[in-house]
Amino acid sequence: MSDYQQFLDERDKIDFLIQKGCQIYGVREHLNGASVDFLHPNGNVTETLLIGTANGRKYFSSLLISQNQPKN
Amino acid sequence: MADLRINLAGIKSPNPFWLASAPPTNSGYQVQRAFEAGWGGAVWKTLGDPILNVTSRFAAIGFNGQRVAGFNNIELITDRPLDVNLKEIYETKKKFPNHAIIASLMVEPKQEKWHEIVKRVEDVGVDGLELNFGCPHGMAERGMGSASGQVPALVERQTYWAKEVAKTPVIVKLTPNITDITATAEAACNGGADAISMINTINSLMGVDLDSWNTIPHVAGKGAHGGYCGPAVKPIALNMVAECARHPHINVPISGIGGISNWRDAVEFMLMGATGVQVCTAAMHHGFRIVEDMIDGLNNYLDSKGIAAVSDIIGKSVPKYSDWGNLDLNHNIVAKINPDVCINCNKCHIACEDTSHQCIDMLTDVNGKSYLKVREEDCVGCNLCSIVCPVDGAIDMIEAPRELAPMTWNDRQTALSVAVECKADVAK
Ligand SMILES: Cc1cc2nc3c(=O)[nH]c(=O)nc-3n(C[C@H](O)[C@H](O)[C@H](O)COP(=O)(O)O)c2cc1C
């Protein structure tokens, strides 16, 4: 799979969780990229995605920044 | 015609082009001819206890047909008696009262030595002083030049000693042979420097002869490191000027030196914070008259931009120079090959396939004609293809539509640390 295809795949998985109302609530960076923890809106179910592509890591970081911004 | 006059820490000159302290400023005869040709100022060949030189002294590297892409020397400071130099400085200043004459000085790191030489050169009417803490060879073995210039405490102390007696502005000339030039620049400021200049030459060995196994240059079969300068050092010098210009504790004017060969280079240095520039290698390569093109080119550039005075461009690019952590990670450019201009040499394909991201395809159209095409989604915008492309206009780097808001590494790390803190709170 090309880097771009892998990025699209990772982005889809992230978008799917965000659309379900999940929020990023933890990020662990390591030699294989980043493990991103998502928290369900009900507050107790978490899911973790391994994000390996550079564009994928830019993508969730941008989402995290907008998530941290105060909503009007 | 724009106003080309500059005022560097009180030293005024009719234009920003000065000859750097080096062979072109060795004597009154030369400096007077340089002023006649149009140079606005000259930093006299460094004065101090007259030295002994070796032969040979110079070597140069050519690149792809360009001679003197880089230049190397193992020459020391002036070998002429101080009184002879002072007499010629006096005469030159009398003939050219509106041109800047700066005395470059180098003595042992002793207070009385600095006091003595500063007083003697100021007596003949120089417009300013430049303390040479940069010469990397020979003099450094005697504790002077870059040996002093690499130790911030020595830079500060010697600047202070010069300033104790100086009546004219003191410029401190810095060595690039140091990891972080802002450390010595700051030390110069702390010592009271009115301005700083950079760069002196970079430690270098030009080559080794494959038959005799002698160094290039060599002196009767032995070599020693020299100082590198000329066009090859320009990017190093420009960065050092820019780093000093944007440093919050370095607030004195900068005289830019290093690889400046034409008016364009001079404009770049001034945009990056230099108040004026000094030139050595280009004058040694092409003679004093290159300054005519420099003056014309600068004038035309300023007129074409509607800028009335050259001083208006000083430092205009400094706010655009920052740390890597402040660059936008979400800004994307991609390569686009223009098939009408491309000559199908395949250099871009080879470079991308072998050494970058494998995103340039070699294709054949319906008529059997081969062409090259970038898969934009896989292109990381590294510029390599456009750098190796031999034809202007065949590859453009174009901005891709923005998909995400601007985000720097520093923004990202802040957001990540907030996420880690939140998680800790939730866990509690
Ligand atoms: C042959 C030669 C002799 C030099 N002598 C001196 C000197 O006496 N004092 C000094 O401050 N710099 C000296 N320099 C350094 C130049 O003033 C200048 O800092 C350096 O060459 C970078 O500028 P450029 O790239 O325009 O040559 C010398 C350079 C060369 C090539």
Side-chain angles (χ1 to χ4, degrees):
Chain A
M1 190 168 23
S2 76
D3 255 16
Y4 183 65
Q5 281 307 321
Q6 200 185 333
F7 160 61
L8 293 181
D9 198 47
E10 291 177 348
R11 192 179 68 180
D12 283 350
K13 287 183 182 148
I14 295 170
D15 285 348
F16 179 71
L17 291 174
I18 297 290
Q19 272 154 24
K20 283 208 304 197
C22 294
Q23 292 236 315
I24 298 171
Y25 98 112
V27 177
R28 271 163 294 128
E29 297 198 279
H30 44 70
L31 293 172
N32 287 321
S35 297
V36 186
D37 299 327
F38 290 83
L39 187 66
H40 278 240
N42 64 19
N44 47 23
V45 186
T46 61
E47 283 198 44
T48 301
L49 293 181
L50 171 63
I51 306 298
T53 65
N55 280 339
R57 287 180 287 118
K58 287 181 184 177
Y59 187 66
F60 82 70
S61 307
S62 296
L63 292 181
L64 182 61
I65 288 173
S66 48
Q67 177 186 301
N68 287 349
Q69 262 152 19
K71 308 268 178 308
N72 296 328
Chain B
M1 286 272 272
D3 181 356
L4 297 190
R5 287 172 302 173
I6 61 158
N7 181 340
L8 185 134
I11 305 172
K12 294 182 183 143
S13 72
N15 64 53
F17 303 112
W18 295 0
L19 284 171
S21 174
T25 59
N26 200 41
S27 65
Y29 167 75
Q30 289 165 283
V31 173
Q32 289 173 31
R33 284 189 58 237
F35 286 165
E36 272 157 18
W39 291 90
V43 186
W44 211 270
K45 174 76 184 167
T46 301
L47 308 174
D49 290 342
I51 54 74
L52 302 172
N53 269 316
V54 293
T55 68
S56 61
R57 302 177 197 175
F58 306 154
I61 278 181
F63 191 74
N64 260 357
Q66 183 188 339
R67 294 183 75 81
V68 196
F71 191 82
N72 172 84
N73 85 91
I74 51 172
E75 169 180 303
L76 306 185
I77 63 171
T78 188
D79 59 2
R80 307 164 78 222
L82 184 65
D83 282 341
V84 174
N85 277 305
L86 293 184
K87 184 167 166 282
E88 292 176 15
I89 290 174
Y90 174 77
E91 287 164 2
T92 308
K93 188 68 208 169
K94 238 171 70 182
K95 277 194 189 153
F96 295 89
N98 298 323
H99 288 64
I101 300 184
I102 293 92
S104 169
L105 308 177
M106 184 195 288
V107 289
E108 285 169 61
K110 291 186 181 145
Q111 185 183 32
E112 64 277 12
K113 288 272 185 188
W114 281 106
H115 283 189
E116 181 195 0
I117 197 156
V118 167
K119 285 180 191 157
R120 292 198 56 192
V121 298
E122 285 197 334
D123 279 350
V124 294
V126 294
D127 299 291
L129 309 170
E130 187 179 77
L131 315 187
N132 177 352
F133 297 145
C135 183
H137 45 268
M139 306 310 291
E141 292 169 24
R142 303 169 202 177
M144 292 178 266
S146 68
S148 290
Q150 288 163 337
V151 183
L154 278 178
V155 171
E156 179 174 342
R157 196 173 319 148
Q158 294 182 90
T159 307
Y160 184 80
W161 289 335
K163 281 292 292 179
E164 279 179 327
V165 288
K167 298 191 186 89
T168 62
V170 171
I171 307 169
V172 172
K173 183 170 180 180
L174 299 171
T175 175
N177 298 305
I178 184 163
T179 313
D180 178 4
I181 201 163
T182 64
T184 42
E186 210 180 328
C189 295
N190 293 341
D194 300 291
I196 48 179
S197 57
M198 70 202 70
I199 58 174
N200 209 306
T201 53
I202 302 172
N203 285 354
S204 59
L205 169 58
M206 289 306 259
V208 179
D209 185 282
L210 296 187
D211 295 318
S212 65
W213 301 356
N214 276 331
T215 61
I216 303 171
H218 71 93
V219 179
K222 270 222 171 88
H225 79 261
Y228 200 44
C229 53
V233 310
K234 187 194 122 190
I236 298 166
L238 190 57
N239 171 58
M240 288 185 168
V241 166
E243 289 297 347
C244 288
R246 76 187 182 96
H247 194 284
H249 301 143
I250 301 170
N251 294 309
V252 295
I254 299 171
S255 179
I257 319 169
I260 296 163
S261 309
N262 52 47
W263 67 268
R264 284 188 183 80
D265 296 336
V267 169
E268 289 180 47
F269 273 77
M270 294 187 77
L271 287 171
M272 270 302 170
T275 296
V277 296
Q278 300 184 30
V279 175
C280 166
T281 303
M284 291 179 74
H285 189 184
H286 302 295
F288 289 148
R289 290 192 58 188
I290 54 163
V291 76
E292 293 170 12
D293 276 353
M294 289 176 159
I295 292 171
D296 283 352
L298 180 60
N299 247 323
N300 292 340
Y301 171 77
L302 295 171
D303 287 351
S304 71
K305 297 258 174 233
I307 298 169
V310 71
S311 52
D312 291 344
I313 68 169
I314 298 168
K316 285 294 186 283
S317 294
V318 176
K320 293 173 180 277
Y321 203 52
S322 185
D323 293 328
W324 189 93
N326 295 325
L327 306 182
D328 180 7
L329 292 165
N330 286 337
H331 173 80
N332 283 319
I333 57 166
V334 291
K336 211 172 181 73
I337 297 172
N338 181 354
D340 298 335
V341 182
C342 172
I343 57 169
N344 274 309
C345 70
N346 295 337
K347 275 201 85 81
C348 60
H349 168 80
I350 293 165
C352 188
E353 200 69 13
D354 290 358
T355 66
S356 193
H357 284 75
Q358 300 79 48
C359 68
I360 300 180
D361 292 329
M362 294 168 75
L363 303 168
T364 311
D365 70 13
V366 284
N367 302 317
K369 192 171 168 255
S370 50
Y371 67 101
L372 294 152
K373 192 167 189 305
V374 177
R375 287 193 320 282
E376 289 182 12
E377 65 276 15
D378 290 322
C379 174
V380 300
C382 70
N383 277 351
L384 181 63
C385 55
S386 71
I387 289 169
V388 300
C389 176
V391 183
D392 282 344
I395 301 182
D396 292 323
M397 299 304 299
I398 54 166
E399 209 167 316
R402 180 176 280 284
E403 289 172 356
L404 297 168
M407 174 186 69
T408 68
W409 172 259
N410 292 334
D411 297 335
R412 176 183 187 271
Q413 294 315 99
T414 309
L416 252 57
S417 62
V418 172
V420 170
E421 277 166 27
C422 286
K423 185 168 182 180
D425 288 345
V426 172
K428 273 184 215 156

